[in-house]
Amino acid sequence: RVLSLELNKDREVERIHGSGINALDIEPVEGRYMLSGGSDGVIALYDLENLSRKPYYTCKVLCSVGRSHPDVHKFSVETVQWYPHDTGMFTSSSFDKTLKIWDTNTLQPADVFHFEGTVYSHHMSPVATKHCLIAVGTKSPKVQLCDLKSGSCSHILQGHRQEILAVCWSPRHEHILATGSADSRVKLWDVRRATGCLATLDQHNGEKSKASSEAANTAHNGRVNGLCYTSDGLYLLTIGTDDRMRLWNSSTGENTLVNYGKVCNESRKGLKFSVSYGCNPEFVFVPYSSTIAVYTVFTGELISMLRGHYNTVNCCAFQTNFQELYSGSKDCNVLAWIPALQQLVPDDTSEKSLPQQHLIPAYEDAWSSSSDEG
């Protein structure tokens, strides 16, 4: 299904933003409701389900925090995220130096956290049961951890030298956090430990040549502005302004050296990319100028480029139930990409007369169904 993703001509996503869309998030409970955050500070909430049951339909905006809302963000919204366990709450963070916790039903902020600098990114753990911490990346080199229970920014992780552009909790271990910074470094933290930092990822795996002038222990040769774990949490993908994407073993911190080629990245802030779930092999969807590049995670092969936006794509979100993709762009549009419908074969044709479908060799089944071989 992912290999045949194409722009859905029968489904529109209602257009509400007057400027670029920076962030999308689909709630993990039903996979039905989606949030978007825009450069105009507006947040919109969409219903992705086709209630009309007609083939051509529009995903409607159920409600929004518009410019006239008293609690609207003053500047660009950079990240939106649903509370992982139910749709009654969602979070947003903005260049206006705030992180807001919203009650979905009343569209009122239940809590607001204020920071000294621009907020680039925030993330809540999808699996946490023992803590309610929101990791926040700001203009400060310190990673802030805000506690939803106490309403305080109790915890600070120190070690980066420049602003934090991306933060991401492990979907496997609730206390493990990854952070990416403008200092070219990616750090892994255990938030239970006093010192915090478990590892600083090194693109050379410790085998740096003496002649190299690059700083030791850098994950990229540029700002690190995107992080995403694979769905099982065993690997971490990072993106930098050196036009590279790297895949790391998240338990050993080792660079797996998968080569994705040049991954064009001109973003001056966080880049929101996403990974497939439940596919074999797994794919990664990366905003790439005005397109979305689809790579296989473990071989680095560029499978396809999804074209349809008129301007820079800032974010994409994968809908796991139906293997669909949604993307947001500077062109103010959210586009839906769905698997192309396979052509149905009439029943009266015998199977032998059908042309063989040519699969990419990697996707052919290697097993044999004949009994005499076993």
Side-chain angles (χ1 to χ4, degrees), residues 334-355:
V334 177
L335 296 183
W337 309 84
I338 69 156
L341 290 171
Q342 300 302 315
Q343 292 297 313
L344 290 173
V345 179
D347 291 342
D348 52 323
T349 353
S350 73
E351 281 189 21
K352 290 195 176 65
S353 65
L354 289 177

Side-chain angles (χ1 to χ4, degrees), residues 5-114:
L5 277 179
E6 62 178 28
L7 187 60
N8 189 348
K9 300 173 186 69
D10 300 324
R11 181 186 323 181
E12 284 193 356
V13 181
E14 189 177 342
R15 186 172 161 143
I16 185 171
H17 289 280
S19 61
I21 294 161
N22 297 325
L24 293 172
D25 190 44
I26 298 171
E27 46 87 13
V29 183
E30 290 179 83
R32 175 175 170 180
Y33 300 105
M34 180 170 74
L35 291 166
S36 66
S39 303
D40 49 5
V42 170
I43 300 167
L45 196 164
Y46 308 82
D47 186 348
L48 302 180
E49 195 160 302
N50 180 9
L51 296 173
S52 73
R53 297 281 175 259
K54 290 177 183 153
Y56 183 88
Y57 70 101
T58 301
C59 298
K60 290 286 187 199
V61 174
L62 293 179
C63 56
S64 65
V65 181
R67 294 300 327 154
S68 57
H69 192 290
D71 299 296
V72 67
H73 281 290
K74 292 185 178 59
F75 303 124
S76 174
V77 173
E78 291 300 305
T79 313
V80 286
Q81 190 192 359
W82 286 102
Y83 180 61
H85 307 298
D86 67 62
T87 54
M89 187 162 80
F90 66 88
T91 55
S92 63
S93 59
S94 160
F95 278 177
D96 67 8
K97 307 179 184 178
T98 65
L99 162 69
K100 296 189 178 184
I101 318 300
W102 300 86
D103 179 320
T104 312
N105 299 310
T106 63
L107 278 194
Q108 299 298 320
D111 211 342
V112 181
F113 294 93
H114 296 271

Side-chain angles (χ1 to χ4, degrees), residues 215-236:
N217 280 9
T218 57
H220 286 269
N221 304 325
R223 298 151 62 89
V224 182
N225 61 349
L227 298 173
C228 189
Y229 277 95
T230 54
S231 54
D232 56 13
L234 294 175
Y235 294 87
L236 176 70

Side-chain angles (χ1 to χ4, degrees), residues 199-255:
T200 302
L201 302 184
D202 175 14
Q203 58 184 306
H204 304 289
N205 288 332
E207 298 169 16
K208 208 162 73 68
S209 67
K210 302 283 184 288
S212 166
S213 60
E214 290 151 17
N217 280 9
T218 57
H220 286 269
N221 304 325
R223 298 151 62 89
V224 182
N225 61 349
L227 298 173
C228 189
Y229 277 95
T230 54
S231 54
D232 56 13
L234 294 175
Y235 294 87
L236 176 70
L237 282 151
T238 64
I239 282 185
T241 54
D242 54 359
D243 291 341
R244 287 282 175 263
M245 179 159 66
R246 297 209 161 89
L247 180 72
W248 310 81
N249 180 315
S250 61
S251 53
T252 64
E254 187 181 8
N255 180 359

Side-chain angles (χ1 to χ4, degrees), residues 108-350:
Q108 299 298 320
D111 211 342
V112 181
F113 294 93
H114 296 271
F115 302 92
E116 285 172 16
T118 303
V119 184
Y120 288 105
S121 170
H122 78 269
H123 193 228
M124 278 179 284
S125 167
V127 293
T129 54
K130 298 186 177 68
H131 71 75
C132 286
L133 297 172
I134 304 178
V136 186
T138 69
K139 205 136 181 100
S140 153
K142 297 170 183 169
V143 185
Q144 320 257 356
L145 296 178
C146 299
D147 194 337
L148 270 183
K149 281 205 181 96
S150 67
S152 70
C153 279
S154 52
H155 217 90
I156 284 174
L157 304 173
Q158 301 199 47
H160 280 295
R161 297 172 193 175
Q162 291 182 45
E163 55 202 18
I164 313 292
L165 299 172
V167 294
C168 189
W169 291 96
S170 160
R172 194 177 188 88
H173 304 291
E174 64 175 280
H175 296 101
I176 304 297
L177 175 72
T179 57
S181 164
D183 65 9
S184 306
R185 288 175 172 77
V186 173
K187 289 182 179 286
L188 299 178
W189 313 80
D190 181 336
V191 297
R192 294 168 300 186
R193 290 166 43 145
T195 49
C197 191
L198 286 174
T200 302
L201 302 184
D202 175 14
Q203 58 184 306
H204 304 289
N205 288 332
E207 298 169 16
K208 208 162 73 68
S209 67
K210 302 283 184 288
S212 166
S213 60
E214 290 151 17
N217 280 9
T218 57
H220 286 269
N221 304 325
R223 298 151 62 89
V224 182
N225 61 349
L227 298 173
C228 189
Y229 277 95
T230 54
S231 54
D232 56 13
L234 294 175
Y235 294 87
L236 176 70
L237 282 151
T238 64
I239 282 185
T241 54
D242 54 359
D243 291 341
R244 287 282 175 263
M245 179 159 66
R246 297 209 161 89
L247 180 72
W248 310 81
N249 180 315
S250 61
S251 53
T252 64
E254 187 181 8
N255 180 359
T256 63
L257 305 175
V258 172
N259 181 9
Y260 300 94
K262 181 181 178 183
V263 182
C264 181
N265 175 3
E266 293 158 0
S267 174
R268 303 311 305 148
K269 48 188 191 178
L271 191 74
K272 311 285 194 295
F273 65 108
S274 75
V275 175
S276 65
Y277 179 86
C279 301
N280 185 17
E282 295 288 7
F283 302 94
V284 54
F285 308 95
V286 186
Y288 193 111
S289 190
S290 64
T291 66
I292 299 145
V294 184
Y295 298 91
T296 48
V297 171
F298 296 106
T299 65
E301 190 181 354
L302 177 61
I303 297 293
S304 64
M305 300 286 271
L306 304 179
R307 302 177 197 281
H309 282 290
Y310 302 115
N311 206 328
T312 310
V313 179
N314 292 325
C315 54
C316 50
F318 188 67
Q319 209 283 17
T320 52
N321 302 6
F322 302 113
Q323 270 105 29
E324 298 171 345
L325 188 72
Y326 290 84
S327 57
S329 157
K330 270 192 189 157
D331 63 15
C332 310
N333 290 322
V334 177
L335 296 183
W337 309 84
I338 69 156
L341 290 171
Q342 300 302 315
Q343 292 297 313
L344 290 173
V345 179
D347 291 342
D348 52 323
T349 353
S350 73

